[in-house]
Amino acid sequence: GQNIDQPTEMTATEGAIVQINCTYQTSGFNGLFWYQQHAGEAPTFLSYNVLDGLEEKGRFSSFLSRSKGYSYLLLKELQMKDSASYLCALNTGFQKLVFGTGTRLLVSP
Amino acid sequence: DVKVTQSSRYLVKRTGEKVFLECVQDMDHENMFWYRQDPGLGLRLIYFSYDVKMKEKGDIPEGYSVSREKKERFSLILESASTNQTSMYLCASSSPGQGAFTYEQYFGPGTRLTVT
């Protein structure tokens, strides 16, 4: 099976940088997704890491270390609209995803 | 622009009723998924389908069944609704991947089901 851990809640200030961690224990996986979910809305795709290293997409970057069993999502130049839940999910094969419980990020002025 | 729609945003049913949740996608995706989302438990996979008339159990299939008669439509059925099935239900679809590469899933807006 898989076990995925994320902090429940984080707070940060507008304009700051925040790192949301995701640690996991699994027997194997193909890659790791990050999704953003605003309250009452559908999750939307942010990034997918297959190989170790950093993937950068504008203000958002995602990092994966298979040997250390963790990933992080880095959000720069935080904006109020970044207040949302951030979900990490393991692709365990055949398009099946196993999600963590999500991290709720609160951005204050 | 991918669109995944679900038949209802809010639904209230009584214990023992048969409940149908419908999901339609307009991007000709082969893969479709049903999840439920509960506070503190995250998104959990109920059933998924790779193609018409195909279905696979996810992590929590007990008490549910599915139907996929057409490629664009995937239905979740609660044969006899119970109070512990009160939850947010999310449908998703995706294109098939190859090996480790996989396409992202596109989610519908969700149906908040309350069973009383």
Side-chain angles (χ1 to χ4, degrees), chain B residues 16-110:
Chain B
E17 278 193 84
K18 190 168 185 175
V19 182
F20 292 86
L21 302 182
E22 305 285 341
C23 174
V24 177
Q25 50 94 4
D26 66 359
M27 282 303 292
D28 203 34
H29 283 164
E30 282 81 359
N31 302 331
M32 296 190 75
F33 308 83
W34 273 107
Y35 296 89
R36 61 178 285 176
Q37 186 172 31
D38 300 287
L41 295 176
L43 277 157
R44 292 179 292 165
L45 182 64
I46 304 171
Y47 267 97
F48 60 106
S49 169
Y50 294 129
D51 205 346
V52 175
K53 298 205 185 287
M54 290 183 64
K55 60 184 179 184
E56 299 284 343
K57 291 181 181 178
D59 298 318
I60 50 163
E62 297 78 19
Y64 304 93
S65 62
V66 290
S67 172
R68 191 156 180 211
E69 296 296 318
K70 293 186 178 180
K71 189 175 185 180
E72 67 271 18
R73 188 180 296 269
F74 193 34
S75 303
L76 180 69
I77 303 154
L78 287 68
E79 296 288 341
S80 177
S82 63
T83 54
N84 63 12
Q85 293 179 310
T86 291
S87 186
M88 171 68 85
Y89 289 88
L90 289 158
C91 174
S93 71
S94 72
S95 295
Q98 281 191 340
F101 178 79
T102 191
Y103 290 99
E104 68 267 31
Q105 294 182 15
Y106 293 85
F107 285 83

Side-chain angles (χ1 to χ4, degrees), chain A residues 2 30-31 33 35 37 40-45 48 50 66 87 91 93-102, chain B residues 9 31 33 35 37 40-43 45 48 50 59 90 95-97 99-105 107-109:
Chain A
Q2 296 82 26
N30 288 339
F33 279 95
Y35 281 83
Q37 185 178 25
E41 296 184 13
T44 54
F45 168 76
Y48 181 55
V50 174
R66 287 177 177 266
L87 317 177
N91 173 16
F94 302 104
Q95 323 300 316
K96 279 188 65 175
L97 301 187
V98 176
F99 282 83
T101 53
Chain B
R9 286 304 302 266
N31 302 331
F33 308 83
Y35 296 89
Q37 186 172 31
L41 295 176
L43 277 157
L45 182 64
F48 60 106
Y50 294 129
D59 298 318
L90 289 158
S95 295
F101 178 79
T102 191
Y103 290 99
E104 68 267 31
Q105 294 182 15
F107 285 83

Side-chain angles (χ1 to χ4, degrees), chain A residues 28-106:
Chain A
F29 70 105
N30 288 339
L32 189 145
F33 279 95
W34 283 95
Y35 281 83
Q36 180 190 59
Q37 185 178 25
H38 285 100
E41 296 184 13
T44 54
F45 168 76
L46 289 176
S47 66
Y48 181 55
N49 293 68
V50 174
L51 303 176
D52 282 7
L54 190 69
E55 298 260 351
E56 296 186 74
K57 265 189 195 180
R59 293 190 300 115
F60 290 14
S61 303
S62 58
F63 175 84
L64 176 66
S65 169
R66 287 177 177 266
S67 61
K68 293 189 171 135
Y70 94 106
S71 171
Y72 66 74
L73 183 69
L74 194 70
L75 290 75
K76 302 177 189 174
E77 301 166 17
L78 277 173
Q79 302 175 10
M80 297 296 290
K81 67 178 182 180
D82 297 330
S83 290
S85 289
Y86 292 86
L87 317 177
C88 74
L90 294 174
N91 173 16
T92 59
F94 302 104
Q95 323 300 316
K96 279 188 65 175
L97 301 187
V98 176
F99 282 83
T101 53
T103 298
R104 188 164 59 201
L105 174 66
L106 300 170

